[in-house]
Amino acid sequence: MTAPLLEVDDLHVRFPVAGTGLTGRGKRLLHAVNGVSFSLAKGECLSIVGESGCGKSTAALSIMGLQEPTEGEIRFRGRPMTGPSAPTRMERAKAVQIVFQDPYASLNPRQTVWRSLADPLRLHGITAKSESADRIAALMRSVGLTPEQAGRFPHEFSGGQRQRIGIARALILEPEIVVLDEPVSALDVSIRAQIINLLLDLQDQFGLSYLMISHDLSVVEHMSDRVMVMYFGQLVETGSWQQIFASPAHPYTRRLIAAIPDPAHFGRISAEPFIDAPNMFAPPAASDLTEIAPGHFIRRTALEGAARA
Amino acid sequence: MTEPLLDVRDLVLDVPHGRGSLPILNRVSFQIHPGEAYGLVGESGSGKSVTSLAIMGLLKKPLRVSGGRIGFQGRDLLTLPKREMRKLRGDRIAMIFQEPMTALNPLATVGRQIAEMFMLHQGKSRAEAAPLAVAALESVKVPNADRRARSYPHEMSGGLRQRVMIAMALACNPDLLIADEPTTALDVTVQAEVLRLIKDLCAERGTAVLFISHDLGVIASVCQRVGVMYAGCLVEENETAALFETPRHDYTRGLLGALPRLGSRAAQGRQRLIDIDSIIADRSRLTETRFITPRREETP
């Protein structure tokens, strides 16, 4: 058992939300991420699934250092990423990088791809022209483009090519962890397959660890080693992809899986009934995850609810 | 042999370009029968949305129809005077768009917007239309319809707004509902509810549906027949089950193989997804072959 690369321990992120009226009286705290703990091992693909507003992106932003956690600790190779001994942004950039959903919105339209790739290298002390040229050329080939294409601007590429550039940009500093924020949901079906294949190839080639955020469960099943299901700021179920997809235990997980329109089931739509949404402003109910099979955890309140039903 | 409700024949759309023109739709033909749900699937730019706009008579310049006909209840929509078309639109043919927030008027309550349908098409007064609007909201299972009718679009979630759109579209019991990517902006569980609603309501009322989506899974769960569009051409058409089980066109095969299927990893391990460009040597030749399987007459 290798030591985890990234450990997240009881992560909380709360946002103050102004109340009503001109004075904003009755300010409340929105519990966006509510006591989330997990670890990510080297070479693993861990996915966070859940619907909009469940806190999955906020959790990822905390790991990126773009959102200060209200409480909790994030450690990279045992070293805290938050608090007074936190690494600087420069150090963090070599550990964790992100691939965004919309590659066009995340690339500078006025910079050539070359500059988008060369600037991080220069900032991190790789100033020799030949070295940065070699690294950019090698990376462009790794993501399925030609080194010559680096001279172009983002608008000269198709959506799929732009996402390849987004991936190259994330990998240029050779990070160990790559956060994939809905990496293929903005792409057309045929391009999607190419990018998924590429991400899996790169993971093999460079031994990358992925933390993937997605609401597309068929992509999650295809790519992940482990899956975490988030619901209103809390983890409700975590397990290996086999456990989550073959024997989902939490009603919300079952509801998510049942909702996927599947070409193999013609004419079937299962819309399972709503589960009462927890109040995002209320402090968390103290409940822990319970292990129901090796590595397969489920939130206890749900178990009790299921037992009562 | 029943008459088709919608009969699109050899529809050609193009954009003037220099002295010539750029083709947008290349002789697209399909029929939708009363009460049938027909799906058009394709990637961005394949022409599925302009097809629906052509049917609605909502094409904007420089797009123009340069051939074919769109028969609807025995009339050709392409030659129909604007006045007549306006009467038809919303009344006999209704449409749901992808982004309900941009399709709804932000300055009017949703109840009022639904009520307008009854006032415009059925000559009801505002007082008569108001309770009808509430009933329409109830029919799309909006909780507290009475109170919700007085809400503005921004006060509602994406799923609720899409329900309002459906209520509005189905208000006058149209014969044909065009749904253009109605659930793309929604979460999966909300998507399932909205799809269920469209399917059940249309089946109940005998409304035919033209369902447009890039998501093969969504199309499969709603439609009886599917047409696959590529580069302005309908390249394959078949009953949904047959199309998914035995796709005949290279492009359809590519699309289906490009999709990770739920459960396939558990069954056969992780298979590499099909890269559509690796099985298709020359994309420009894709539209040369078409596999259109005629609709089977229902045999009771």
Side-chain angles (χ1 to χ4, degrees), chain B residues 106-178:
Chain B
L107 298 178
T109 62
V110 297
R112 186 151 165 208
Q113 293 181 60
I114 301 169
E116 259 178 11
M117 298 293 292
F118 300 107
M119 290 153 69
L120 275 172
H121 294 291
Q122 297 176 356
K124 299 267 195 282
S125 71
R126 177 161 290 174
E128 290 168 327
L132 290 174
V134 174
L137 279 178
E138 268 163 8
S139 74
V140 294
K141 305 196 174 72
V142 169
N144 301 322
D146 207 15
R147 193 169 53 83
R148 274 304 182 184
R150 293 192 299 270
S151 312
Y152 289 87
H154 76 266
E155 298 173 302
M156 302 183 138
S157 67
L160 266 186
R161 274 181 218 144
Q162 202 54 286
R163 279 169 201 264
V164 170
M165 284 295 298
I166 297 169
M168 229 162 126
L170 295 180
C172 300
N173 270 323
D175 299 303
L176 176 67
L177 174 73
I178 301 177

Side-chain angles (χ1 to χ4, degrees), chain B residues 21 57 111 120 146 152 183 190 200 203 225 258-259 266 277 294:
Chain B
S21 62
L120 275 172
D146 207 15
Y152 289 87
T183 58
V190 183
D200 290 351
R225 280 195 307 138
L259 208 72
D277 288 324

Side-chain angles (χ1 to χ4, degrees), chain B residues 31-211:
Chain B
Q31 288 80 42
I32 303 180
H33 289 258
E36 184 187 30
Y38 183 90
L40 271 185
V41 67
E43 298 182 272
S44 5
S46 59
K48 51 195 193 312
S49 286
V50 285
T51 305
S52 69
L53 291 179
I55 297 166
M56 287 293 277
L58 293 174
L59 287 177
K60 290 208 184 85
K61 277 186 177 162
L63 276 172
R64 61 177 185 201
V65 178
S66 52
R69 72 184 295 270
I70 302 175
F72 179 77
Q73 294 176 332
R75 294 194 280 181
D76 183 2
L77 296 185
L78 293 174
T79 55
L80 217 56
K82 270 195 178 155
R83 238 183 97 82
E84 289 291 307
M85 191 66 213
R86 214 176 292 144
K87 257 195 232 160
L88 219 60
R89 209 188 288 136
D91 188 40
R92 298 295 93 220
I93 311 178
M95 188 158 179
I96 315 172
F97 297 92
Q98 176 175 348
E99 192 21 82
M101 197 58 205
T102 52
L104 290 169
N105 180 353
L107 298 178
T109 62
V110 297
R112 186 151 165 208
Q113 293 181 60
I114 301 169
E116 259 178 11
M117 298 293 292
F118 300 107
M119 290 153 69
L120 275 172
H121 294 291
Q122 297 176 356
K124 299 267 195 282
S125 71
R126 177 161 290 174
E128 290 168 327
L132 290 174
V134 174
L137 279 178
E138 268 163 8
S139 74
V140 294
K141 305 196 174 72
V142 169
N144 301 322
D146 207 15
R147 193 169 53 83
R148 274 304 182 184
R150 293 192 299 270
S151 312
Y152 289 87
H154 76 266
E155 298 173 302
M156 302 183 138
S157 67
L160 266 186
R161 274 181 218 144
Q162 202 54 286
R163 279 169 201 264
V164 170
M165 284 295 298
I166 297 169
M168 229 162 126
L170 295 180
C172 300
N173 270 323
D175 299 303
L176 176 67
L177 174 73
I178 301 177
D180 188 356
E181 306 261 9
T183 58
T184 308
L186 304 175
D187 268 326
V188 270
T189 54
V190 183
Q191 165 170 288
E193 286 159 17
V194 169
L195 290 178
R196 162 109 276 158
L197 191 68
I198 293 176
K199 199 176 164 177
D200 290 351
L201 283 179
C202 290
E204 225 169 78
R205 303 177 182 204
T207 312
V209 188
L210 171 59
F211 200 100

Side-chain angles (χ1 to χ4, degrees), chain A residues 100 102-109 162:
Chain A
F100 293 100
D102 179 354
Y104 197 61
S106 54
L107 290 164
N108 186 338
R162 267 181 223 149

Side-chain angles (χ1 to χ4, degrees), chain A residues 264-277:
Chain A
H265 297 107
F266 321 112
R268 200 202 66 182
I269 313 167
S270 27
E272 291 207 358
F274 262 126
I275 312 166
D276 279 340

Side-chain angles (χ1 to χ4, degrees), chain B residues 274-286:
Chain B
I274 292 176
D275 177 352
I276 210 163
D277 288 324
S278 71
I279 60 164
I280 295 163
D282 185 358
R283 275 195 180 227
S284 65
R285 298 180 68 96
L286 269 184

Side-chain angles (χ1 to χ4, degrees), chain A residues 2-304:
Chain A
T2 48
L5 200 58
L6 183 82
E7 290 162 279
V8 174
D9 204 5
D10 198 27
L11 182 74
H12 289 261
V13 181
R14 292 177 210 128
F15 298 111
V17 176
T20 47
L22 279 177
T23 52
R25 234 181 326 187
K27 205 157 85 172
R28 299 182 294 175
L29 281 178
L30 182 123
H31 298 254
V33 178
N34 209 337
V36 167
S37 307
F38 62 92
S39 63
L40 177 67
K42 178 112 187 112
E44 185 185 35
C45 177
L46 174 64
S47 294
I48 311 181
V49 299
E51 294 178 276
S52 5
C54 75
K56 56 191 196 298
S57 292
T58 310
L61 289 179
S62 297
I63 290 153
M64 290 296 300
L66 296 172
Q67 173 66 54
E68 190 62 31
T70 317
E71 238 178 78
E73 203 175 44
I74 301 168
R75 287 183 299 275
F76 177 70
R77 292 194 175 281
R79 204 186 143 189
M81 300 270 272
T82 48
S85 55
T88 61
R89 274 185 60 188
M90 296 287 277
E91 291 171 289
R92 200 191 270 268
K94 282 190 280 193
V96 193
Q97 281 291 343
I98 186 166
V99 175
F100 293 100
Q101 175 175 4
D102 179 354
Y104 197 61
S106 54
L107 290 164
N108 186 338
R110 306 209 295 180
Q111 275 184 4
T112 60
V113 170
W114 179 275
R115 264 200 68 192
S116 289
L117 295 175
D119 280 357
L121 287 177
R122 186 170 50 74
L123 287 167
H124 285 85
I126 295 155
T127 43
K129 270 261 165 61
S130 60
E131 193 189 345
S132 66
D134 285 351
R135 282 176 73 162
I136 291 170
L139 191 57
M140 287 294 281
R141 283 195 201 96
S142 294
V143 299
L145 298 169
T146 64
E148 293 72 42
Q149 285 175 308
R152 299 192 195 161
F153 288 91
H155 73 264
E156 296 176 79
F157 293 93
S158 67
Q161 287 174 322
R162 267 181 223 149
Q163 193 58 300
R164 288 173 193 270
I165 296 163
I167 294 167
R169 191 209 52 78
L171 296 183
I172 191 73
L173 291 174
E174 298 173 352
E176 292 184 85
I177 299 172
V178 179
V179 175
L180 305 171
D181 189 358
E182 305 271 8
V184 296
S185 50
L187 305 173
D188 256 328
V189 183
S190 63
I191 311 298
R192 211 175 270 192
Q194 297 171 359
I195 298 295
I196 292 172
N197 288 341
L198 174 68
L199 286 169
L200 291 170
D201 291 346
L202 291 170
Q203 187 184 20
D204 266 357
Q205 193 183 339
F206 298 114
L208 296 169
S209 304
Y210 286 149
L211 180 66
M212 181 161 81
I213 298 166
S214 183
H215 66 264
D216 187 337
L217 275 97
S218 41
V219 173
V220 168
E221 187 193 38
H222 186 75
M223 289 186 65
S224 317
D225 299 305
R226 282 193 302 134
V227 181
M228 304 193 289
V229 184
M230 268 184 93
Y231 184 60
F232 284 96
Q234 291 189 314
L235 286 183
V236 293
E237 185 166 0
T238 82
S240 68
W241 67 269
Q242 294 99 326
Q243 288 164 337
I244 296 291
F245 285 95
S247 45
H250 194 280
Y252 180 67
T253 315
R254 282 205 288 266
R255 186 172 138 81
L256 267 186
I257 293 173
I260 308 167
D262 186 353
H265 297 107
F266 321 112
R268 200 202 66 182
I269 313 167
S270 27
E272 291 207 358
F274 262 126
I275 312 166
D276 279 340
N279 183 357
M280 296 287 280
F281 294 101
S287 76
D288 295 318
L289 294 174
T290 309
E291 192 161 20
I292 55 169
H296 189 180
F297 295 85
I298 175 176
R299 188 158 292 279
R300 204 187 280 146
T301 44
L303 271 181
E304 286 158 4

